[in-house]
Amino acid sequence: MLTRKQHQLLLYIDDHLRRTGYSPSFDEMKDALELRSKSGIHRLISALEERGFLRRHHHRARALEVLRLPHMGTEAPIAALASETGFVPAVLSQGETGLDGAFSEASVANDRQTVSIPLYGRIAAGLPIEAMQDDSDRIEVPISLLGTGEHYALTVAGDSMIEAGILDGDIAIIRRRETAENGQIIVALIDGQEVTLKKLRRRGSMIALEAANRDYETRIFPAERVNIQGRLIALFRQY
């Protein structure tokens, strides 16, 4: 797994090497990533070394060697875990070593680094819409994101979750389950036909579906009108 800053630094170093033939200085890297101190660059480089993306030649000045780059297809996965404190995206490189396990819904790719899960239709992150249940579309997901259990993906529509880092067009990776904790981001089925992606809050016998955009109101329903269809565990984003 690469964080956003690790990913940005690796691409910056690679680009600088290609353009100039030598690695950038720590000051240049600090400025490029808009960090306050060079100590942050040292930590990022050490992390990239440990993950096998960079090699540092300690006896030469400005001597960094890029060993490999993350998969750079049209789909750049943005992974994140939903928790009580919110949703904090982190960039994940494609093809990282993951967990082996049994996935009832997944056909495992040849290298066993990814699995194929159903990609359903668009889920409203603004107003609820009907979910499309078509298994013909599928998406490859790194095994390390999933763990055990059943999973599926939905394309996000709308902007009501932008303050949680969830944007229109993102692909939401969902772990199928019927329960969730307060504060977790869930797929909620309302009245058996409308589906939305919102933060869960229980208020006695009522369920509040909270947006992460101050322009949207919280929607409150009797608990019997809302069924939890899964919990958000990750995002994929196209650039």
Side-chain angles (χ1 to χ4, degrees):
M1 182 180 291
L2 292 183
T3 67
R4 182 183 297 274
K5 287 297 185 184
Q6 290 166 3
H7 190 267
Q8 289 175 343
L9 180 60
L10 184 63
L11 295 185
Y12 175 73
I13 293 171
D14 181 69
D15 178 69
H16 195 282
L17 284 167
R18 293 176 185 275
R19 288 187 293 104
T20 67
Y22 55 87
S23 56
S25 68
F26 278 82
D27 282 326
E28 289 172 326
M29 290 184 278
K30 176 178 69 69
D31 294 339
L33 271 68
E34 299 181 346
L35 297 179
R36 294 182 179 180
S37 69
K38 289 186 285 188
S39 61
I41 296 296
H42 283 282
R43 288 193 295 270
L44 291 172
I45 288 176
S46 295
L48 289 169
E49 277 190 294
E50 292 171 1
R51 288 159 175 78
F53 289 93
L54 272 185
R55 177 181 295 148
R56 180 165 32 182
H57 298 279
H58 295 279
H59 301 294
R60 286 188 287 164
R62 300 179 66 169
L64 295 172
E65 178 185 1
V66 175
L67 300 178
R68 62 190 179 101
L69 292 173
H71 175 75
M72 295 298 291
T74 58
E75 208 167 58
I78 303 290
L81 294 179
S83 68
E84 290 289 339
T85 58
F87 199 80
V88 184
V91 177
L92 192 76
S93 63
Q94 194 82 311
E96 292 289 338
T97 301
L99 303 174
D100 267 340
F103 299 90
S104 58
E105 88 283 19
S107 60
V108 181
N110 291 336
D111 61 1
R112 299 190 64 82
Q113 301 296 312
T114 64
V115 292
S116 174
I117 64 174
L119 174 60
Y120 297 144
R122 293 175 68 83
I123 183 171
L127 299 175
I129 59 174
E130 292 185 1
M132 297 171 59
Q133 301 292 317
D134 183 358
D135 285 352
S136 62
D137 290 331
R138 303 185 73 84
I139 184 173
E140 296 292 325
V141 179
I143 293 175
S144 57
L145 288 184
L146 299 183
T148 58
E150 295 185 21
H151 298 80
Y152 61 94
L154 290 164
T155 303
V156 174
D159 63 357
S160 77
M161 298 301 289
I162 57 174
E163 292 172 14
I166 304 170
L167 308 183
D168 181 68
D170 284 352
I171 296 175
I173 308 300
I174 308 298
R175 178 173 295 138
R176 193 186 299 274
R177 59 184 306 171
E178 297 178 355
T179 61
E181 301 295 329
N182 276 341
Q184 292 182 333
I185 298 174
I186 64 166
V187 175
L189 178 65
I190 304 169
D191 295 330
Q193 61 180 2
E194 297 177 323
V195 176
T196 189
L197 185 71
K198 290 293 183 292
K199 184 177 292 186
L200 172 68
R201 295 289 181 192
R202 289 187 175 87
R203 301 178 179 177
S205 62
M206 309 295 285
I207 286 182
L209 300 177
E210 294 182 351
N213 183 333
R214 64 195 66 189
D215 293 332
Y216 288 78
E217 295 182 354
T218 296
R219 304 182 71 205
I220 302 175
F221 301 90
E224 62 270 18
R225 292 181 58 189
V226 179
N227 292 319
I228 297 172
Q229 301 288 290
R231 181 171 67 86
L232 179 68
I233 62 167
L235 288 178
F236 272 33
R237 181 169 299 157
Q238 290 187 335
Y239 291 100

